[in-house]
Amino acid sequence: MGEIFVVVEHRAGEIREITFQMLWKANELAQAHSHGLTAVILCADGEAFIPAIRERADRVIVMEDEKLKHFNAERYKEILTGLIEEHRPFLTLIGHTPWGMELAPGLSVKTGLPLITDGINILIEDGVPKVIRQIYSGKLFSKVSFKPSEGYLISLRPGAFPADKLGDLQGDLLKQNIPTDIPEPRKRFVEFVDTAAGKLDISQAEFLISIGRGIGEEENIKSVQELVEMMGGIISCSRPVVDKNWLPKYHQVGTSGKTVKPKVYLALGISGAFQHVAGISGAGTVIAVNKDKKAPIFRIADYGVVDDLFKVVEALKDKLKG
Ligand SMILES: Cc1cc2nc3c(=O)[nH]c(=O)nc-3n(C[C@H](O)[C@H](O)[C@H](O)COP(=O)(O)OP(=O)(O)OC[C@H]3O[C@@H](n4cnc5c(N)ncnc54)[C@H](O)[C@@H]3O)c2cc1C
């Protein structure tokens, strides 16, 4: 039935969470539809990556070269095109991350294979993948199908699947050399600037009180800050709060901010756009306060309060004082 390829994403020597999420989904599809599962690692030194990937794939293709230490979309595109032409996978999965957004469209053009981006689920019907996507800021779901093709490319949204192991594999290792004839890329890696380079690191916090655009004005943050101090948490926020310069960037949660894993995440006036909720998929208990009962954040929240956030903040403070 052909293979499913998963392109391993890593940064600064660590495998990114999206890789494990893609492997989880790929394993589920492989088991249900009798596909083989191959993970592809392009890196400078695979030693640190291989064990965790082998446990989740039937086969691991590794290409090691100093030139692959940092992601470069042009180089990846050339190498993956060669691997796809050689192995002819049925399906290739890439993360819908800044990394994958740069890689996937060019790879589709170069290989001639169709691409569906930003999938939150994949079904295989009559031997052809169908992809579930969210549209209109998560208010509706659409099911998108491909025209029959030799192979298919899909980029998957971070946070759409668990990162757990499915089954107990110990994939075969296949080391291949990087092709010698790939052109020198026009772009080069300069430096990686971490958004957490601030006074505090929200990614390590156990309790986060997070504010969104619903906070209304900068001066209203003071009231939430008081609650944060009383409850012993850390304040975090959605992107509009940072865009307005109300809090520094290192407070931002989401795909272009930090991924957080607190035991409790209290979201105040946050609608729940996917770029935000992707950053809290590892949170323990999510409590959302929003005056709009249809806000998408309630789909993922464990507890929800449909009310004005300021009323809730004041009530909590009164309770803590009393
Ligand atoms: C490439 C890209 C990357 C992005 N990265 C991120 C990211 O990392 N993190 C991120 O957060 N976003 C990110 N975004 C933006 C994201 O798409 C949303 O626009 C953003 O998350 C919305 O923030 P919000 O929920 O605070 O605002 P809104 O969507 O405007 O929601 C405000 C909510 O507050 C509620 N509200 C208003 N007043 C009150 C009140 N008094 N009491 C209670 N509820 C109230 C409203 O009902 C509404 O649901 C990114 C976007 C792009 C295109």
Side-chain angles (χ1 to χ4, degrees):
M1 278 295 285
E3 274 176 284
I4 301 177
F5 263 25
V6 172
V7 181
V8 171
E9 182 166 336
H10 56 88
R11 190 174 68 198
E14 280 182 20
I15 301 171
R16 308 284 290 159
E17 188 92 344
I18 179 67
T19 301
F20 298 121
Q21 295 167 357
M22 289 191 289
L23 286 167
W24 184 93
K25 182 65 203 177
N27 257 303
E28 193 197 61
L29 291 173
Q31 285 171 23
H33 300 276
S34 308
H35 293 287
L37 169 49
T38 296
V40 179
I41 312 179
L42 309 183
C43 60
D45 178 1
E47 279 314 300
F49 304 143
I50 291 167
I53 300 296
R54 282 183 85 179
E55 290 178 348
R56 292 167 162 88
D58 300 311
R59 186 167 67 142
V60 185
I61 298 179
V62 185
M63 281 194 185
E64 290 173 317
D65 193 291
E66 207 37 46
K67 286 182 184 158
L68 298 174
K69 184 164 184 185
H70 302 291
F71 170 72
N72 184 303
E74 292 172 61
R75 207 171 255 144
Y76 265 58
K77 182 183 71 180
E78 298 295 335
I79 296 174
L80 287 170
T81 299
L83 283 173
I84 288 172
E85 282 169 358
E86 183 184 344
H87 298 272
R88 305 207 165 269
F90 161 71
L91 179 61
T92 300
L93 302 182
I94 297 167
H96 189 70
T97 55
W99 205 90
M101 284 183 223
E102 206 187 334
L103 168 66
L107 185 63
S108 171
V109 172
K110 182 97 186 167
T111 55
L113 298 178
L115 163 70
I116 295 178
T117 58
D118 195 17
I120 58 163
N121 203 2
I122 304 170
L123 318 165
I124 298 178
E125 293 175 0
D126 302 324
V128 178
K130 306 255 163 88
V131 181
I132 309 297
R133 303 178 84 229
Q134 281 186 349
I135 52 174
Y136 300 116
S137 308
K139 290 188 178 66
L140 292 177
F141 293 94
S142 66
K143 188 177 182 183
V144 188
S145 56
F146 288 102
K147 280 187 184 160
S149 163
E150 246 187 89
Y152 305 91
L153 306 178
I154 299 175
S155 71
L156 287 177
R157 179 181 292 187
F161 307 106
D164 307 333
K165 263 198 300 177
L166 257 191
D168 199 13
L169 301 170
Q170 200 49 239
D172 300 329
L173 200 56
L174 176 64
K175 290 209 176 187
Q176 287 190 222
N177 292 328
I178 169 171
T180 48
D181 57 348
I182 52 172
E184 241 343 87
R186 281 160 294 186
K187 282 187 277 184
R188 70 185 171 87
F189 174 83
V190 178
E191 84 178 299
F192 172 64
V193 182
D194 193 344
T195 50
K199 290 189 195 101
L200 46 89
D201 185 359
I202 59 168
S203 66
Q204 301 303 318
E206 296 213 327
F207 177 38
L208 286 172
I209 299 186
S210 210
I211 53 169
R213 206 192 315 253
I215 195 73
E217 293 179 27
E218 186 175 12
E219 64 199 42
N220 294 339
I221 298 177
K222 220 168 22 171
S223 156
V224 175
Q225 203 53 276
E226 283 166 14
L227 178 68
V228 169
E229 278 154 33
M230 289 169 91
M231 297 187 84
I234 291 182
I235 195 163
S236 57
C237 64
S238 65
R239 179 155 149 175
V241 175
V242 171
D243 289 346
K244 286 176 191 286
N245 280 325
W246 293 347
L247 285 177
K249 177 81 176 167
Y250 55 82
H251 288 270
Q252 185 189 319
V253 173
T255 50
S256 56
K258 298 301 291 178
T259 298
V260 295
K261 292 180 177 170
K263 287 190 179 143
V264 178
Y265 188 79
L266 174 57
L268 304 171
I270 293 177
S271 61
F274 84 84
Q275 292 96 342
H276 187 82
V277 298
I280 58 171
S281 61
T285 302
V286 176
I287 306 164
V289 181
N290 196 304
K291 62 183 185 186
D292 175 7
K293 68 172 194 279
K294 292 195 176 147
I297 189 93
F298 290 128
R299 285 201 206 119
I300 58 108
D302 300 286
Y303 299 96
V305 181
V306 182
D307 210 337
D308 185 290
L309 74 90
F310 299 104
K311 275 210 275 179
V312 175
V313 167
E314 290 312 316
L316 280 171
K317 285 201 268 189
D318 287 346
K319 190 93 187 158
L320 289 162
K321 278 180 203 152

